[in-house]
Amino acid sequence: MIRIILFLLLIALAAAGAAWMADQPGDLVMSWGGLRLTSKQPMFLLGLVIVVAMIAGMILRGLWNIPGHVRRGQRERRRARGRHAITQGLLAIGHGDSSAARTHAEAARRHAAGDPLALLLHAQSAQLDGDRDGAQRAFRAMAERADTRLLGLRGLFIEAQRADDPVAAVMIAEEALKMSPSSSWASHAVLGFCCAKGDWAGALSIIDNNQSAGLIDKATYRRQRGVLLTARALEFETVDRDLSRSSAMEALKLAPTLIPAAVLAAKFESEAHQVRRAMRIVETAWLAQPHPDLADAYSHVRLGDSARQRLVRVETLAAKTPGHIEGALAIARAAIDAAEFGKARAALEPFTAAPTQRVALLMAEIERTEHGDSGRARAWTLRAVRALHDPAWTADGYVSDRWRPVSPVTGRLDAFQWQTPVAALPSDKGSAIETSPFEEAMLAPRRVEPPREAASEPDAAKPPEATKPVEPVEAKAIEPATQDNAPLPAAIESGPAPAEPPISEPAPPPAAEAAPPAPAPLFRSRTDLPKDLTKAAPAPIPAVIPIVRAPDDPGVDEDGAVDEFAEQIGPPKAQVGGWRGFLARLGS
């Protein structure tokens, strides 16, 4: 607006001057050498002079500015070459061509040495070649400039991490955070360092700065602050109970579903005899994510309760999430403590077909505690080795036995989640649980056999004359694979056997009687025996083979222990000499 007013004022002044000169009488005469100009109108001649002067000034000015235009053109061409080299170099870095990136970086340094992108290209090409010293020099040069200081600090921070120098990395991140509080990478690095050394006050201040700078939203801020307060409460639980309690309660308000905060807050409320409040805290977290620590805190919410009372309380909690495996495991654990093995079996029954490790271990404990069956307990323990993994605290592939506020791999806050580890997930290569014949045999349902005395009474009542003679059976009629621990025929012939009366003439074979069905073998058949082993036995083998001792039974010596002190100990007999000794040796 001011420029328009000034322009109008200049036009008005010029018009007024021209009108004044036109009103002045007289002649204008211009004499230059042999040239003489006379004008009755001075304004015309004056305008001509002004035009000629302006043209002459423009020509002189153009001649004066020619060197500047030449220098400017050269500079623009050099800058264009530098920008082209930078563009091509960054593209070469993008597709991993280190030689082309290095060539373009040298060209960018020649043509655009002061361009920040040229420094960045040089640093990244050095990183691509593995030249850490060159990359550090480039980033250090960037950090000394005001316009690229933050970018240089970021590069130095990355190089310090690659060199495994956490102290230098944290110092660089703190300097960058002072320069730019809204820098996400610097705040993340300093936050992880504060959490690693247990500086929870500094970590909380960084979280507040991130929320005020707009780096995180309100929900994330509440969750992360609750995580930090929970970590501080767990650390000071045995040192400063008041600080731990206040931190746990504040964390519970910010994140009601955070499992460690709920467990610790319920513990403090239980110690303060606020049973109902503690139960509500655990129930809220249980509905969001069932966890064994929540079940344990819920069962011990009232101090001094018996095992049966804890079982009833755990059943109430598990009923809020029906069908969940954590509820079944909590019921089984409480039932074992209360000696209610039937309830424990019923709770674990839906999960025994494809058990997890905790299910298999609880079943082994039930078998060992209820029946003292060490065989079934060992079978369940062996099955637990190859069973599916239970959920655990996992963060970035790292599995921890307890909850942690920060991931030890990446330093990310609130990274641990209660989930099944990735390495334990089933794949299409095979089943995660491979049963063996031993497990199938040991875990088979128990069979109740009838008493043998009742079955032997009819045979004992028969007279000896009515008993039919035993028909000798050829060796090929007996299969050695009927039972794994059955003795071999050769071993039976060579081993001790009761004396049988000699048979002078073989009796005529009577009619074949229907043999009772043999029970299913408990163990798998042996495949290491040759099929023609029994064909080598020339003598017939009776149908009923009396087994004196099992092959794997050391037994007890029937002759009794030999008392070495009961034997007659005397001097050895001396050799008889003389003619009697000669006759004795001759007769032998």
Side-chain angles (χ1 to χ4, degrees):
M1 186 65 181
I2 298 176
R3 292 181 180 180
I4 297 175
I5 295 174
L6 291 176
F7 180 73
L8 295 176
L9 289 175
L10 289 176
I11 292 176
L13 290 176
W20 179 78
M21 291 183 66
D23 292 340
Q24 299 298 325
D27 298 334
L28 180 63
V29 180
M30 186 177 76
S31 178
W32 188 6
L35 180 63
R36 181 179 177 85
L37 297 176
T38 304
S39 175
K40 297 293 185 180
Q41 297 179 356
M43 289 300 299
F44 176 76
L45 187 59
L46 181 61
L48 182 62
V49 171
I50 292 174
V51 170
V52 171
M54 290 177 61
I55 293 174
M58 292 176 62
I59 293 173
L60 293 175
R61 183 179 178 183
L63 294 175
W64 179 266
N65 292 333
I66 284 176
H69 286 294
V70 173
R71 288 193 299 269
R72 191 179 302 111
Q74 292 178 354
R75 187 166 52 252
E76 290 295 335
R77 286 192 296 271
R78 189 182 301 110
R79 185 178 301 174
R81 294 192 190 100
R83 287 300 180 93
H84 179 73
I86 291 171
T87 304
Q88 297 301 321
L90 293 177
L91 292 177
I93 290 175
H95 56 73
D97 191 353
S98 59
S99 60
R102 185 168 54 253
T103 302
H104 291 300
E106 294 297 333
R109 178 186 296 178
R110 290 194 308 268
H111 299 296
D115 197 332
L117 293 178
L119 296 175
L120 178 62
L121 176 60
H122 179 67
Q124 289 190 350
S125 63
Q127 286 180 334
L128 190 61
D129 288 337
D131 185 9
R132 292 186 175 178
D133 295 336
Q136 288 182 359
R137 287 194 299 269
F139 284 124
R140 196 173 292 111
M142 295 172 65
E144 292 175 355
R145 297 180 49 165
D147 54 347
T148 58
R149 180 173 177 77
L150 191 60
L151 183 58
L153 292 176
R154 173 67 185 277
L156 293 175
F157 172 76
I158 294 175
E159 290 299 323
Q161 282 186 327
R162 291 181 177 179
D164 198 11
D165 191 357
V167 178
V170 170
M171 292 176 62
I172 294 170
E174 289 178 348
E175 182 67 22
L177 190 62
K178 292 178 182 177
M179 181 179 176
S180 175
S182 61
S183 180
S184 59
W185 65 270
S187 63
H188 177 75
V190 177
L191 178 62
F193 177 73
C194 292
C195 294
K197 69 178 182 180
D199 185 9
W200 308 116
L204 289 172
S205 64
I206 293 175
I207 291 295
D208 296 338
N209 293 335
N210 291 342
Q211 199 272 337
S212 60
L215 298 178
I216 54 177
D217 54 4
K218 188 174 182 180
T220 306
Y221 166 73
R222 291 174 61 87
R223 176 75 180 187
Q224 291 183 356
R225 184 173 177 84
V227 169
L228 294 176
L229 290 172
T230 303
R232 185 172 68 178
L234 291 174
E235 182 178 352
F236 289 96
E237 181 180 1
T238 57
V239 178
D240 191 346
R241 301 281 291 182
D242 295 335
L243 179 60
S244 178
R245 178 184 174 85
S246 61
S247 300
M249 293 304 174
E250 184 179 355
L252 186 66
K253 293 179 181 178
L254 296 173
T257 60
L258 187 60
I259 294 175
V263 171
L264 190 58
K267 180 180 178 181
F268 284 123
E269 294 293 344
S270 176
E271 292 177 355
H273 303 287
Q274 300 292 334
V275 178
R276 292 185 179 275
R277 188 179 302 172
M279 293 175 65
R280 286 196 300 268
I281 292 173
V282 175
E283 289 171 358
T284 302
W286 178 270
L287 291 176
Q289 177 64 63
H291 192 273
D293 292 347
L294 294 173
D296 183 71
Y298 198 80
S299 62
H300 294 85
V301 70
R302 181 182 289 108
L303 304 179
D305 282 354
S306 63
R308 294 183 181 275
Q309 291 175 336
R310 293 197 298 268
L311 173 59
V312 173
R313 191 177 298 114
V314 168
E315 289 177 345
T316 304
L317 180 64
K320 297 182 180 297
T321 55
H324 201 280
I325 187 173
E326 292 295 341
L329 291 172
I331 292 176
R333 178 71 269 169
I336 292 174
D337 295 340
E340 296 286 347
F341 300 104
K343 289 186 178 180
R345 290 180 182 273
L348 297 178
E349 184 178 1
F351 307 98
T352 54
T356 62
Q357 292 181 350
R358 291 166 59 196
V359 172
L361 291 177
L362 285 176
M363 289 299 299
E365 185 176 356
I366 291 172
E367 295 291 347
R368 187 183 299 108
T369 307
E370 182 181 10
H371 301 292
D373 193 343
S374 59
R376 284 177 172 263
R378 284 195 300 270
W380 277 110
T381 306
L382 179 62
R383 197 172 185 183
V385 175
R386 298 190 302 271
L388 294 173
H389 288 262
D390 292 280
W393 290 113
T394 308
D396 301 322
Y398 180 84
V399 180
S400 176
D401 57 344
R402 58 184 178 86
W403 176 83
R404 297 184 180 185
V406 183
S407 170
V409 180
T410 61
R412 183 164 53 93
L413 184 62
D414 192 23
F416 277 92
Q417 302 294 329
W418 182 254
Q419 60 186 3
T420 304
V422 178
L425 295 178
S427 63
D428 55 353
K429 295 183 179 180
S431 176
I433 302 177
E434 299 176 358
T435 58
S436 63
F438 172 76
E439 296 176 12
E440 294 178 356
M442 295 304 299
L443 298 179
R446 297 182 177 85
R447 294 180 298 177
V448 181
E449 299 181 356
R452 296 182 178 180
E453 292 80 7
S456 60
E457 287 179 359
D459 296 338
K462 293 182 180 179
E465 297 80 10
T467 305
K468 296 183 179 180
V470 178
E471 178 185 1
V473 183
E474 296 182 0
K476 63 181 180 179
I478 298 179
E479 298 180 0
T482 302
Q483 188 172 348
D484 191 20
N485 57 357
L488 300 177
I492 297 173
E493 292 179 2
S494 61
E500 295 181 2
I503 303 175
S504 58
E505 295 181 1
E513 298 180 357
L522 183 60
F523 299 93
R524 66 183 185 277
S525 60
R526 298 183 59 175
T527 59
D528 55 345
L529 298 179
K531 296 182 179 180
D532 299 336
L533 181 63
T534 57
K535 294 182 179 180
I541 301 176
V544 179
I545 302 175
I547 299 178
V548 178
R549 183 181 300 167
D552 56 349
D553 184 14
V556 181
D557 195 356
E558 297 178 357
D559 298 335
V562 180
D563 190 1
E564 58 180 357
F565 299 101
E567 298 180 357
Q568 183 67 28
I569 301 176
K573 295 181 179 181
Q575 185 178 0
V576 182
W579 61 272
R580 293 181 179 178
F582 174 77
L583 292 178
R585 289 193 296 273
L586 182 62
S588 59

